[in-house]
Structures are given as structure tokens and as C-alpha cells.
Amino acid sequence: MVEPVRLQKFNVVCLFGSRRHRIAKIRFHRDGSIFVMFPSFNKDEGLVGALTLQSGVTSTACNLADFGSITSHKVKYSHHVDGRTHFSQDGQVQTVIKKQSVALDQQQPHLFTVYAEGLESFSAPRPNDKTTNLEFLTQGRSVKLVASWADLKNLGSTDPAHRGSGATMMKVSKDHFQPAYLIGPPKGSPCEGFGLIIRLETISPLSSDGIAALILVGGFDPRNIAFDHSRETSFLVMKYPCESPNELRGVIASIDFVPGTQH
């Protein structure tokens, strides 16, 4: 069985030119849950929602404002051991955008994806941050971070691309390899037999205007549902920033806590 690098938490960092940009901070909770946070993005107004693809539809263009909710806080994405997924932020937002996904005692080839546009809007980790950094070289200002959840018993042996760093080369198609990290929760975790495969690649710009953006999709259904186009499937989506937030607050729901009210 492949032994991953075991960490309680880690940063995913892009090296672009002479600068470092933290895309996300990921943490294993003591109960085995996975938390994905975005402390380095410089925008706070965003949209969150659950998108449903009807049977017979393989892709769709949509406006998150048509079905989502608005927030003025950067939310945390959580995937719990029993498969519950949601967006939350203690004391700041209501945990109402959620769905049932795959339990973490099962392999899930696609756990979540983060898209980051405009790396200059993602700051570096603070100098006093002692969290381990997973570093990736990138050739442009738009990147995609893909996380898979793997049963360690099902992984063949791999040779590190950089000895002692935990970086390996992952085969993503017949003739194409990408650098990746295999990170496992600490020993004693309920999910210690599994690991996160984290890979990152440079992508084409997400839009023609070049505006910085942060997008996460996650909370997917099991493969037998998600890849069966005769069945309805859904997943969670978040997008920052939000255009015209003041106008939208009068039109769509907000998940923010209102000071002085009971929840």
C-alpha cells in the first residue's frame, strides 16, 4: 500500500513568475471530515447554490444568481465522513446550502475542483504561517485544482518526482502525466486508509474580461448516478466575486446571519 504524506492541514500554493499565491487551505478534522478554505482571495461577496442537471443533459450554461444565494463572507466547503457536504462559516453564515454526496469510506475519483482566475488576487501565505505548502509551478494566471479521494490499497507504487516532498507524477490520460501530491490524514483518523490526490494545472482564461474569480464545485453524486445521463444529478457550486451584490440582495436570498436575530 502506498503511504501518503500525512498532514493535519496544508496550503495549495501556485508559483507564478517570482510570486507565490495560495489558492486554498485544506484541513482534515479529527472526525475525518475534509474542510476547504480560501483565506487568501481578496473578494468577500459571492454566490453559493446547488445546481441540478436534469436527465438527458450533460452540460449547461447557468447564472448562479438565478438559483443560488448571496453571501458577504468567504465560505468554507465541508465534506463529512458520512457524505454530507455544505458551505458554512461559523458565526457568519447559515448552513443551508448542502447535499448528500459520497461517504468518505468509499473511493471518489472526483471529490471537488477549484478554479482560480487572476492569481494576483490570491495572496501568499503569511510569513508566520507554519502550515506545509504544496507548491505547483504555473504558466498563466488561471489554474484548476482537482482533488480526488483514493483508497490507498488501490494505488500502485509511485516514484516521487521530488524526493522527500511528496510530489509524484500522476497519469491523467494515456500519454499525459501531471505533478500531484498524495496527502493522507494523520494516523488514527477514521479515514487513515484513504488519501487526497491534489493536482493543479494551468488552464485557459475563464472569461474574456480577465476579472479575478474563485469557483468551487463539489458534493457530487456517486459515479453510477453522475455519469448516467438518463438520471438527474446535482452538485454544490460557489463563485466569487458577485456582480452587483447590493442589487441582488433585494432579489435573492442571503445566507448571512443578521446581527441581533435568533437562528
Side-chain angles (χ1 to χ4, degrees):
M1 183 175 76
V2 174
E3 180 60 21
V5 176
R6 295 195 177 273
L7 299 170
Q8 189 78 59
K9 59 183 178 180
F10 55 92
N11 295 317
V12 180
V13 176
C14 287
L15 306 179
F16 181 45
S18 60
R19 297 184 178 275
R20 301 163 73 243
H21 307 274
R22 177 171 57 180
I23 303 303
K25 172 172 278 189
I26 301 175
R27 180 164 70 91
F28 290 107
H29 192 265
R30 59 180 176 275
D31 69 0
S33 302
I34 298 168
F35 298 156
V36 187
M37 300 157 284
F38 306 95
S40 292
F41 190 55
N42 66 3
K43 308 293 183 183
D44 292 328
E45 299 273 3
L47 294 166
V48 293
L51 175 62
T52 298
L53 292 179
Q54 301 298 327
S55 60
V57 176
T58 58
S59 63
T60 185
C62 66
N63 183 349
L64 190 49
D66 292 337
F67 64 90
S69 299
I70 192 170
T71 178
S72 57
H73 306 285
K74 287 194 287 289
V75 296
K76 171 180 66 181
Y77 173 70
S78 301
H79 195 129
H80 293 281
V81 175
D82 61 4
R84 289 177 297 120
T85 62
H86 57 73
F87 295 118
S88 65
Q89 198 58 267
D90 292 346
Q92 295 182 320
V93 304
Q94 304 172 70
T95 308
V96 293
I97 308 299
K98 53 189 174 182
K99 77 173 294 278
Q100 184 66 34
S101 183
V102 177
L104 295 180
D105 62 358
Q106 304 174 46
Q107 185 157 299
Q108 179 71 336
H110 188 192
L111 199 67
F112 63 84
T113 292
V114 177
Y115 298 89
E117 172 104 325
L119 292 179
E120 65 278 1
S121 293
F122 294 79
S123 61
R126 293 178 178 178
N128 61 351
D129 187 347
K130 303 304 182 182
T131 305
T132 299
N133 295 323
L134 310 187
E135 297 188 340
F136 293 89
L137 286 171
T138 181
Q139 304 303 313
R141 61 189 296 273
S142 302
V143 298
K144 178 175 71 171
L145 182 166
V146 180
S148 305
W149 186 240
D151 188 332
L152 300 178
K153 298 191 302 294
N154 295 336
L155 296 179
S157 60
T158 58
D159 292 323
H162 306 287
R163 294 287 175 183
S165 72
T168 65
M169 297 303 292
M170 178 181 176
K171 189 173 185 178
V172 294
S173 64
K174 183 179 179 181
D175 299 309
H176 182 52
F177 289 79
Q178 284 182 348
Y181 288 85
L182 176 62
I183 307 298
K187 285 287 189 180
S189 166
C191 299
E192 70 172 49
F194 289 79
L196 272 174
I197 298 174
I198 301 291
R199 56 187 176 89
L200 186 142
E201 61 181 293
T202 305
I203 59 173
S204 300
L206 299 173
S207 63
S208 58
D209 54 24
I211 296 175
L214 169 65
I215 299 170
L216 177 142
V217 291
F220 302 106
D221 288 319
R223 286 174 63 88
N224 65 313
I225 296 176
F227 287 89
D228 183 350
H229 302 314
S230 68
R231 304 173 69 175
E232 179 180 284
T233 188
S234 65
F235 50 89
L236 299 184
V237 187
M238 73 169 211
K239 179 184 181 297
Y240 291 80
C242 170
E243 296 181 10
S244 306
N246 293 333
E247 290 85 346
L248 281 177
R249 287 184 185 280
V251 180
I252 66 174
S254 171
I255 64 170
D256 293 350
F257 282 135
V258 177
T261 61
Q262 296 291 325
H263 297 278

Coordinates of all heavy atoms in Angstrom, one line a residue, residues 14-21:
C14 N 0.5 28.3 -5.7 CA 1.0 28.4 -7.1 C 2.2 29.3 -7.1 O 2.2 30.4 -6.4 CB -0.1 29.1 -8.0 SG -1.5 28.0 -8.4
L15 N 3.2 28.9 -7.8 CA 4.4 29.7 -8.1 C 4.2 30.2 -9.5 O 4.3 29.5 -10.5 CB 5.6 28.9 -8.0 CG 5.8 28.1 -6.7 CD1 7.1 27.3 -6.7 CD2 5.8 29.1 -5.5
F16 N 4.0 31.6 -9.6 CA 3.8 32.2 -10.9 C 4.8 33.4 -11.0 O 4.7 34.3 -10.3 CB 2.4 32.6 -11.1 CG 2.1 33.3 -12.4 CD1 2.5 32.7 -13.6 CD2 1.4 34.5 -12.5 CE1 2.2 33.3 -14.8 CE2 1.1 35.1 -13.7 CZ 1.5 34.5 -14.9
G17 N 5.8 33.3 -11.9 CA 6.8 34.3 -12.0 C 7.6 34.2 -10.7 O 8.1 33.1 -10.3
S18 N 7.8 35.3 -10.1 CA 8.5 35.4 -8.8 C 7.6 35.4 -7.6 O 8.1 35.6 -6.5 CB 9.4 36.6 -8.8 OG 8.6 37.8 -8.9
R19 N 6.3 35.2 -7.8 CA 5.4 35.3 -6.7 C 4.7 34.0 -6.3 O 4.6 33.1 -7.1 CB 4.3 36.4 -7.0 CG 4.9 37.8 -7.2 CD 3.8 38.8 -7.4 NE 4.3 40.1 -7.6 CZ 4.6 40.9 -6.5 NH1 4.3 40.5 -5.3 NH2 5.0 42.2 -6.8
R20 N 4.3 33.9 -5.1 CA 3.6 32.7 -4.6 C 2.1 33.1 -4.2 O 1.9 34.2 -3.7 CB 4.3 32.2 -3.3 CG 5.7 31.8 -3.6 CD 6.5 31.7 -2.3 NE 6.2 30.5 -1.6 CZ 5.7 30.4 -0.4 NH1 5.4 31.6 0.3 NH2 5.4 29.3 0.2
H21 N 1.2 32.3 -4.6 CA -0.2 32.6 -4.5 C -0.9 31.4 -3.9 O -0.9 30.3 -4.4 CB -0.9 32.9 -5.8 CG -0.2 34.0 -6.6 ND1 -0.4 35.3 -6.4 CD2 0.8 33.9 -7.5 CE1 0.4 36.0 -7.2 NE2 1.1 35.2 -7.9

